[in-house]
Amino acid sequence: MKNIQFLFDGFKFLTAKQKTFLRENQIFINLLLYLTSMFEYEGFAEEINTDFIEFYLALTPRACCGIYKSDSGREILGYATEGGFLDEYGIPTVFNINTLNQNHKEGVVNGKNAAIGWNNRAHTSDIVQLTRYTEMLNLVDTAQKCLIRYARLFPVYEVDNEQVKNQLESALKNADNGEPFTYVNKGLSKIGVDGDPNLKILHLGDISAVDKIQYLSTYHNDLLRRFFTMYGMNYAQSMKQAQQSIEEIHSDVNMSWIIPNDRLRERQKLVDSYNKVMGRNASVRYSDAWLKAYNEYMKEGSADEKMEY
């Protein structure tokens, strides 16, 4: 337990800027983990870490990854960049595949001596969305922290002599310890009763501000809802309207599956190319969480009855 406590104690020695960076970085990592859990792969070579297919596609500038076979016969996964030749649509026909330990394979061709895959049809990563929502969620968390501090009861006592100060500290300490009462001398007990100017109280907090926390919590959830809806996990609740069809009510659900289905299609292309080049029978599908949501979407989308009051 002491060894574990040591890890937590190290956080105390970080600067405020370092702590802010770690908190914001953790938000980014959480969103990245949510997003990169969308798909599951099967049938790849044992040495292929399929988690990095998602990391390369979601984070690298070209949103592109590739798999090739080394001279030793080992399959290697890396992020892909253009190899210098483009077709009439500006799409590379030759690629370079790079790994994080500086391995480099030049001049590979998709479907011939390597399998190449993109994150989506636009060939863009998810880094913009991830950083955007990380920044917004961090701002909300910071606002909540400031509001909680401001909403505390925090009286500041101004005293002119050490005796009054010591007795105030003793009384407040007893209150913190749950004592039902405390003792003071007559000089202190008369303060405030006779209007003694030796003690002044300044209230820095405003407890009425505590009700604003709920609005920040709602906005925090709204941001998460917008992020997940964009990638198929829809939390929105539509209002019922007269003669409104099921499809109309769930139109936001239909929209939310455009990007996930596009991402799945591009990964299926990668898998098809991989199977062709490597002679395997690999596959990709939605993970359990996304598959459940997708099946519900398909079930709701097939209904054509009308809503009634």
Side-chain angles (χ1 to χ4, degrees), residues 147-148 150-152 206-217:
L147 186 57
I148 290 172
Y150 180 71
R152 291 185 303 172
D206 180 9
I207 60 174
S208 65
V210 72
D211 62 347
K212 305 300 187 299
I213 296 177
Q214 62 178 318
Y215 300 112
L216 288 174
S217 297

Side-chain angles (χ1 to χ4, degrees), residues 32 35-68 75-80 97-98 100 115-120 124-126 263-275 278 280 282-285:
L32 178 64
L35 182 58
T36 55
S37 69
M38 185 180 294
F39 304 104
E40 290 186 359
Y41 297 85
E42 295 179 352
F44 280 76
E46 183 178 354
E47 61 266 26
I48 297 297
N49 186 339
T50 55
D51 290 340
F52 277 82
I53 294 178
E54 292 304 309
F55 292 146
Y56 288 144
L57 295 181
L59 297 177
T60 57
R62 300 303 179 190
C64 186
C65 73
I67 303 173
Y68 70 95
E75 294 179 14
I76 296 178
L77 166 68
Y79 62 93
I97 299 179
N98 314 275
L100 298 180
I116 302 294
W118 304 90
N119 188 39
N120 50 50
T124 57
S125 71
D126 298 292
R263 298 174 93 238
L264 177 60
R265 189 185 74 161
E266 293 302 314
R267 283 154 178 78
Q268 287 173 333
K269 291 180 181 179
L270 168 65
V271 171
D272 290 343
S273 181
Y274 174 77
N275 290 335
M278 304 299 177
R280 296 189 179 274
S283 63
V284 59
R285 67 174 181 87

Side-chain angles (χ1 to χ4, degrees), residues 227-287:
F227 178 82
F228 286 122
T229 298
M230 179 170 36
Y231 292 106
M233 291 293 191
N234 182 53
Y235 289 83
Q237 299 294 323
S238 300
M239 298 298 292
K240 293 182 179 180
Q241 298 179 11
Q243 303 300 316
Q244 187 178 26
S245 68
I246 295 291
E247 289 186 357
E248 289 171 334
I249 286 181
H250 295 285
S251 61
D252 48 354
V253 179
N254 297 334
M255 293 290 293
S256 73
W257 280 100
I258 292 177
I259 291 179
N261 285 338
D262 181 67
R263 298 174 93 238
L264 177 60
R265 189 185 74 161
E266 293 302 314
R267 283 154 178 78
Q268 287 173 333
K269 291 180 181 179
L270 168 65
V271 171
D272 290 343
S273 181
Y274 174 77
N275 290 335
K276 176 183 176 181
V277 173
M278 304 299 177
R280 296 189 179 274
N281 189 30
S283 63
V284 59
R285 67 174 181 87
Y286 284 124
S287 63

